[in-house]
Amino acid sequence: MSDSLPFAFAGLWEHNSILDITSCTILTAAANPAIEQLHHRMPIILKPELYDQWLDMDVPVPEEAMELPGENLGREPIRRRVVRSAKVD
């Protein structure tokens, strides 16, 4: 985010006790204009005021939680060594 504050993606997790497997996923949606030139999908970024509702299984999450922010998104180039797993500092 362009304001450099922490943020949260909408995600789900589940533990299957029969198979003893825990799985998780990050929810995505069609990209908004700020991201679509990079990729056609993007993670859903939760609004901070909705974090508690998202985490409470007994409280329905309002439709507005799925709105994708646009004006606060920023991007910065990364150095090539960041994306190369063979390079260790």
Side-chain angles (χ1 to χ4, degrees), residues 4-80:
S4 298
L5 295 174
F7 59 92
F9 291 145
L12 303 171
W13 71 272
E14 181 69 37
H15 180 76
N16 182 316
S17 57
I18 296 170
L19 300 175
D20 194 27
I21 295 173
T22 300
S23 60
C24 62
T25 188
I26 294 176
L27 303 180
T28 64
N32 65 20
I35 299 298
E36 66 186 0
Q37 67 189 94
L38 298 173
H39 198 274
H40 68 284
R41 306 284 299 169
M42 67 178 280
I44 295 172
I45 301 170
L46 293 172
K47 296 177 182 179
E49 61 270 18
L50 298 172
Y51 291 173
D52 289 336
Q53 285 179 283
W54 184 261
L55 295 172
D56 188 338
M57 293 177 17
D58 296 326
V59 176
V61 177
E63 195 69 29
E64 66 197 33
M66 299 300 159
E67 291 178 3
L68 300 173
E71 66 282 349
N72 290 333
L73 290 176
R75 59 182 184 201
E76 295 183 28
I78 59 171
R79 295 178 294 205
R80 291 189 73 59

